[in-house]
Amino acid sequence: MPTDEGDGNPREFSAVPPEPELEPDAPKPMAQGETPASDASSSPPAFSLPGMPRTVSLVTDSVITRPLAERMASATADELIGIVVELRTDSGLPLDTAVAELTVGVVFAVSHSAGGKTRAKDPELVRATGGYVFAALTATEILRLVGWDGDKGARPAGGRQEAKTAPRSLINRVWPNFEVSATIHRSVITTKCDAAVRAFDATGDGIVWAVLDTGIDAGHKHFATHRTLDLPAGLAPRSFVRGTDDDAAVRDPNGHGTHVAGIIAGGQTATARKPIAAATWYRTAEGATGVERVPLERISGMAPETKILPIKVLADDRTGDLEALLKALEHIQELNRWGRELNVHGVNLSLGYAFDPSWFATGLSPVCREVDRLVANGVCVVVSAGNTGYGAALDTLRREMRLGFGMTINDPGNAERAITVGSTSLKPYSTGVSYFSSKGPTGDGRRKPDLVAPGERVVSAGAGELLDKARATVQLKPGEKAADITYVEDSGTSMSAPHVSGVAAAFLSVHREFIGKPDDVKRVLMDSASDLGRDPAFQGRGLVDAMRAIQSV
């Protein structure tokens, strides 16, 4: 996604310019008497893929990953590029020592640039979490850093499954600091969570779910009924967005995180003295967008008594970076003492970035591996599939066609052990999977998404910009007040993921023997899903079903 120049975050990646070693091999001598074929390169192919690598270079080992190479190719000489340095795990050095040594390398790379000596003294130049180091360097400085590391002379240990031939010492790979972005009163019925509450008391009691998002408006009355944000001892809201403090996690000027959290937990019942209402959007006959006030008698999250841990990783414009996300995932690991305790049972990630399988092995990017590690330590991780399943293409006559795209699952939804969720409407058996929902399979051929859940026109707790926009344009009747509107409609797989998070929390509150066994929770939710009769690349195993999941055990 585009960002302002000079902010250190990557923007859209341009195509990689053709490299000499990627050119086709020279023609080989032909057998005696054989007629030479016409030069195939003299006539252009029907479809041209500019910059696409050919031959063995498709999978050539490199310290600089392909998306970073693309980003570097499009950057100006003095433009800073946000990078994530993935450290080697077999360097033989303690992690703190490896980080300290790499910091020396970054300072070296920067100090040799014009005006770099001042930047090299910046205490925020190098930041680290776990096995990852973050910085913002120019393309020349990145090459200088990689060259410095290669000149140290170390090599990966022999016998490793993954053959690595590029010179490297401390560094395994260098990635761009990817920009990540944010990808119910009826949906609680669609998922059968209301029936599960009545039949099994599946309220989410005793379960803690972290919401990594834009923050949560702690003042919204939706979270007061069940004291949703009153957390057990040792847990507190955190913000990993640079330039903010932890109090930012319980504010939400955007509204996305509040909406997501309200789908998982909380609730409110209207009274004669305190009515509640929602704002929903509609299209007029003239094509304009209108906003309607809809009174609500009652609204509830999927698992109303679940406790929500607010963690801010997205800025107020719904964008963030890989650094904040990786730090937040490590924080969850620390809260659980790396699997020795389980204070946080689940994580909701209604965010991500589009992943190109030509960049690297799908599901093995840094964020996917950290998600899988979190699951391995007992935490259920639910991720939105993404909203990139629809777009436009040109046919051979250059005519535009609008169509759905496969192999568009976003990271970290490509993580093998995550529960990846696509979108349906509130009437999934008649309308099927949402046209925008990202579709499988993954770039390496695995089935994704895993499940689908409501993601169209979902009503949940409103806050910030999302609510302000609705209140400013709503059509009111005499006696109605815009201030009564505290719920708002939104759409996207960002809304689908928290439905499954809520169902998982409800399931765990009934079948507590599954706490700490997220792979088993995923299996139960998938095996009990309702088949919509759609292709698995669209629906996964089907619509999440709270009642069937609870009854199947």
Side-chain angles (χ1 to χ4, degrees):
M1 287 190 176
T3 65
D4 294 332
E5 289 199 17
D7 63 0
N9 288 328
R11 297 175 298 173
E12 290 186 6
F13 307 118
S14 61
V16 182
E19 302 172 81
E21 69 269 26
L22 303 185
E23 293 302 316
D25 296 333
K28 293 182 173 60
M30 287 186 292
Q32 182 78 21
E34 193 169 313
T35 304
S38 61
D39 184 3
S41 62
S42 61
S43 57
F47 292 94
S48 177
L49 299 175
M52 276 298 288
R54 289 168 286 187
T55 74
V56 72
S57 294
L58 279 165
V59 290
T60 298
D61 178 47
S62 175
V63 175
I64 297 177
T65 57
R66 181 166 291 277
L68 181 57
E70 294 177 8
R71 180 68 184 88
M72 291 166 65
S74 65
T76 59
D78 58 350
E79 184 178 348
L80 295 180
I81 303 169
I83 62 170
V84 178
V85 179
E86 179 188 352
L87 297 175
R88 281 179 51 188
T89 58
D90 60 349
S91 67
L93 296 175
L95 184 59
D96 291 346
T97 303
V99 171
E101 286 201 21
L102 188 67
T103 300
V104 173
V106 174
V107 171
F108 167 81
V110 171
S111 60
H112 282 69
S113 297
K117 291 185 178 179
T118 301
R119 283 178 51 222
K121 297 177 182 178
D122 183 357
E124 289 293 307
L125 175 65
V126 180
R127 304 168 303 278
T129 183
Y132 302 97
V133 175
F134 310 96
L137 308 179
T138 65
T140 299
E141 291 167 349
I142 294 170
L143 292 173
R144 190 178 294 140
L145 172 64
V146 172
W148 171 89
D149 183 70
D151 289 343
K152 290 176 72 68
R155 293 290 183 271
R160 291 172 60 96
Q161 180 179 3
E162 183 182 3
K164 296 179 180 177
T165 55
R168 46 167 54 86
S169 179
L170 300 170
I171 299 173
N172 185 35
R173 287 187 177 84
V174 188
W175 299 80
N177 193 1
F178 286 110
E179 179 179 307
V180 297
S181 56
T183 34
I184 42 183
H185 66 305
R186 289 291 302 171
S187 58
V188 74
I189 298 174
T190 305
T191 59
K192 299 183 185 175
C193 278
D194 60 332
V197 169
R198 291 193 301 268
F200 298 103
D201 197 28
T203 62
D205 180 42
I207 303 300
V208 177
W209 220 265
V211 173
L212 279 57
D213 218 288
T214 58
I216 298 172
D217 180 6
H220 199 292
K221 293 182 179 179
H222 183 87
F223 305 115
T225 305
H226 301 289
R227 304 176 69 179
T228 305
L229 304 181
D230 289 358
L231 295 162
L235 300 181
R238 286 290 307 272
S239 175
F240 291 94
V241 175
R242 274 185 285 166
T244 67
D245 56 24
D246 289 339
D247 288 341
V250 289
R251 299 189 297 265
D252 190 10
N254 180 272
H256 186 269
T258 301
H259 196 277
V260 166
I263 296 172
I264 298 173
Q268 195 176 359
T269 301
T271 65
R273 295 183 61 184
K274 294 183 178 180
I276 56 176
T280 63
W281 307 87
Y282 66 92
R283 184 78 65 184
T284 67
E286 294 76 25
T289 300
V291 183
E292 180 183 10
R293 178 187 183 276
V294 178
L296 302 175
E297 293 183 2
R298 178 179 175 274
I299 187 167
S300 174
M302 302 297 107
E305 295 183 21
T306 301
K307 299 299 184 184
I308 297 294
L309 173 60
I311 298 183
K312 184 177 178 69
V313 297
L314 297 178
D316 296 341
D317 60 356
R318 297 193 186 191
T319 65
D321 59 23
L322 201 57
E323 176 182 349
L325 183 53
L326 290 173
K327 286 183 175 180
L329 293 173
E330 184 178 25
H331 177 62
I332 301 296
Q333 295 274 33
E334 293 170 349
L335 291 175
N336 288 341
R337 297 187 62 212
W338 300 89
R340 290 187 291 274
E341 297 178 4
L342 207 61
N343 299 307
V344 178
H345 305 98
V347 171
N348 188 90
L349 298 174
S350 289
L351 49 78
Y353 59 88
F355 186 82
D356 183 339
S358 73
W359 291 344
F360 194 63
T362 310
L364 294 179
S365 63
V367 67
C368 285
R369 283 188 290 182
E370 293 309 311
V371 164
D372 283 342
R373 287 191 181 108
L374 193 56
V375 175
N377 283 334
V379 180
C380 186
V381 181
V382 182
V383 186
S384 56
N387 303 328
T388 53
Y390 177 80
L394 299 179
D395 66 10
T396 55
L397 298 178
R398 312 291 295 175
R399 295 173 300 194
E400 182 178 294
M401 303 179 294
R402 296 187 178 273
L403 70 165
F405 291 122
M407 215 165 68
T408 50
I409 300 295
N410 289 193
D411 264 6
N414 284 307
E416 171 70 27
R417 300 175 77 169
I419 302 176
T420 306
V421 188
S423 171
T424 69
S425 73
L426 297 179
K427 299 179 179 178
Y429 292 98
S430 59
T431 58
V433 178
S434 304
Y435 72 91
F436 56 79
S437 185
S438 291
K439 300 163 182 66
T442 63
D444 60 341
R446 289 175 289 114
R447 285 193 173 185
K448 288 278 182 178
D450 299 305
L451 296 165
V452 289
E456 295 181 20
R457 307 192 64 186
V458 177
V459 172
S460 183
E465 179 184 342
L466 189 62
L467 181 60
D468 292 343
K469 181 179 178 182
R471 284 177 171 175
T473 54
V474 67
Q475 301 295 317
L476 297 173
K477 298 177 181 177
E480 294 180 342
K481 300 177 181 179
D484 291 338
I485 298 174
T486 54
Y487 292 85
V488 68
E489 173 188 291
D490 206 357
S491 297
T493 58
S494 280
M495 284 63 252
S496 304
H499 282 89
V500 175
S501 286
V503 171
F507 174 83
L508 289 173
S509 68
V510 175
H511 293 294
R512 306 189 72 82
E513 68 273 22
F514 281 85
I515 290 176
K517 300 177 180 178
D519 290 323
D520 290 337
V521 173
K522 177 179 178 178
R523 173 183 54 78
V524 169
L525 295 185
M526 292 177 67
D527 288 348
S528 61
S530 297
D531 185 4
L532 302 178
R534 268 63 180 188
D535 190 279
F538 283 63
Q539 70 160 26
R541 294 287 288 276
L543 175 69
V544 67
D545 189 317
M547 282 290 286
R548 290 180 63 178
I550 292 172
Q551 290 175 311
S552 69
V553 176

